[in-house]
Amino acid sequence: MARLGEAGHRKHKEGAADMYPLTRMRRCRRGEGLRRLVQETSLSRDDLILPVFVAAGTGRKEMVASMPGVWRMSADVLGGWVEGLRAGTVLLLGVPDADDKDESGSAALREDGIVPSALRALKEQRPEVVVITDVCLCGYTSHGHCGILTPSGEVDNDETLGLLSRMAQVHAAAGADVVAPSGMMDGQVQAIREGLDESGLQDAAIKSDAAKFASAFYGPFRGAAHSSPSFGDRRTHQLAPANRREALRDALLEEDEGADWLMVKPAMPYLDILSELREATLLPIAAYQVSGAYAMLKHAIAARAFVARDVVTESILCIKRAGADAVITYFAEQVCDWLED
Ligand code: PBG
Ligand code: ZN
């Protein structure tokens, strides 16, 4: 290149042609059209998954106090609401009433339970909408833990697997396209895959929340789902925020167990994990912009620290850039709306 005839140290340096003033990075940033041509990542309706809280009973639509702009709806209300849904995919999270919770979370296994009823209502109105369901017991147990407890109060991994497998079968039989075990039990993907295959539900996919950290960013969700543990925490099964290698190992184990999708959760402060997992697997990866990230942005927007559209689209675009194929976000409807203008 032009470098050849030049004297001195610069001619020997690899990549020296990339130096100013021959190279000017601003050339490709000069106008909107040029900027669009060189844009590497983009956001579309196809990438977004809206989490939806489903309440028991009928005729219920309640604002979630910890998450301004997010609602809990009963199955019948959801059936009407879905007609106007813009996102192509929803993630259903069941929120049973307190008097329906017990030690083993048995309401999670009922074929006429909250999530199966919501699934039927959604699929009746909009069969093309993809429905993913959260498979974990913490919303259904009286103690708020993600599984059944041993007499000494620990989450009993192996006894919980059968319940998770059954819960996934109930969801898939009611029409779930994808089941998403989020409890971080060892062997959960294998147990669920076997259960689905044995019951003729071999076409239901599994999205494993394999890289799920024990995060303070779930705080507002636990208010929404009434799923806080009544004692202790989730650190015996969820990942330590400090651990990168362990997260990758856990995710790859769930791939070997038969997961069709992997997930990183939370997304926002864990983009390094997302980016490394993208290199380590060929599976699709979803990332969850969790309740705490949502609440943080909402509060800052309300305080006029940010412009909603700019900050929300940037935050989700960056999650995609880090390696996510799909982003689960409470902003999904709002973003679909913006993408249409
Ligand atoms: C249930 C579950 C949680 C979230 C999704 N599924 C909470 C938890 O593990 O404590 C958090 C999602 C969010 O904060 O938006 N296991
Ligand atoms: Zn749980």
Side-chain angles (χ1 to χ4, degrees):
M1 290 188 61
R3 191 85 26 245
L4 282 179
E6 289 183 11
H9 62 283
R10 288 174 65 202
K11 89 171 169 213
H12 301 297
K13 200 168 147 203
E14 257 283 44
D18 287 344
M19 297 294 286
Y20 169 84
L22 283 173
T23 296
R24 292 178 182 268
M25 294 303 289
R26 290 182 58 187
R27 286 179 192 132
C28 294
R29 299 177 190 155
R30 282 178 65 219
E32 186 60 25
L34 275 168
R35 287 194 293 268
R36 285 189 191 195
L37 279 171
V38 299
Q39 182 163 327
E40 299 173 29
T41 312
S42 61
L43 205 54
S44 103
R45 172 183 176 275
D46 301 335
D47 312 322
L48 301 171
I49 300 171
L50 177 72
V52 177
F53 296 104
V54 192
T58 52
R60 284 171 69 179
K61 184 172 182 185
E62 305 149 0
M63 174 90 103
V64 173
S66 52
M67 300 175 68
V70 174
W71 301 82
R72 252 188 317 260
M73 291 174 274
S74 54
D76 59 317
V77 173
L78 265 175
W81 164 89
V82 75
E83 288 180 47
L85 178 74
R86 284 174 288 246
T89 305
V90 294
L91 166 68
L92 297 184
L93 304 138
V95 190
D97 287 334
D99 60 6
D100 217 12
K101 301 188 188 205
D102 59 24
E103 292 275 300
S104 66
S106 60
L109 312 188
R110 284 209 303 260
E111 284 161 21
D112 61 348
I114 304 176
V115 168
S117 307
L119 268 159
R120 284 187 284 265
L122 293 182
K123 288 286 183 178
E124 193 176 318
Q125 292 299 323
R126 296 275 307 272
E128 83 289 3
V129 169
V130 177
V131 185
I132 306 174
T133 60
D134 185 80
V135 175
C136 192
L137 294 169
C138 50
Y140 299 82
T141 51
S142 43
H143 42 73
H145 282 287
C146 300
I148 42 182
L149 301 180
T150 62
S152 61
E154 285 176 72
V155 179
D156 188 329
N157 192 86
D158 297 6
E159 290 300 316
T160 299
L161 294 181
L163 301 180
L164 294 177
S165 173
R166 183 77 199 120
M167 184 178 184
Q169 279 175 26
V170 169
H171 291 179
D177 300 285
V178 183
V179 292
S182 65
M184 293 293 282
M185 294 298 116
D186 284 321
Q188 61 180 6
V189 170
Q190 185 175 24
I192 290 172
R193 185 73 271 158
E194 280 171 10
L196 292 172
D197 291 358
E198 279 163 16
S199 49
L201 297 162
Q202 65 283 348
D203 293 331
I206 301 175
K207 181 168 73 54
S208 103
D209 283 29
K212 177 169 178 178
F213 291 86
S215 173
F217 286 88
Y218 306 145
F221 175 96
R222 294 188 186 164
H226 305 307
S227 63
S228 292
S230 57
F231 62 91
D233 54 45
R234 305 215 201 289
R235 287 183 297 171
T236 65
H237 43 105
Q238 296 179 348
L239 291 158
N243 293 0
R244 179 182 62 82
R245 288 193 317 263
E246 187 186 348
L248 295 172
R249 187 168 166 229
D250 201 320
L252 296 177
L253 263 175
E254 296 215 345
E255 171 168 2
D256 291 343
E257 287 180 29
D260 301 284
W261 277 67
L262 298 178
M263 167 128 100
V264 175
K265 176 178 182 179
M268 266 174 66
Y270 295 85
L271 296 184
D272 56 332
I273 307 290
L274 187 52
S275 158
E276 291 199 42
L277 187 58
R278 178 65 292 158
E279 298 298 317
T281 180
L282 294 175
L283 294 188
I285 303 177
Y288 201 143
Q289 186 178 50
V290 299
S291 57
Y294 174 83
M296 223 163 56
L297 291 173
K298 272 296 224 195
H299 291 308
I301 291 162
R304 298 176 175 278
F306 298 135
V307 174
R309 181 175 179 154
D310 297 344
V311 76
V312 170
T313 52
E314 178 181 331
S315 69
I316 299 171
L317 185 71
C318 291
I319 295 170
K320 281 204 67 192
R321 187 206 60 228
D325 298 289
V327 181
I328 302 174
T329 170
Y330 300 93
F331 289 114
E333 283 298 270
Q334 176 79 80
V335 174
C336 287
D337 216 12
W338 289 327
L339 289 170
E340 273 165 30
D341 326 330

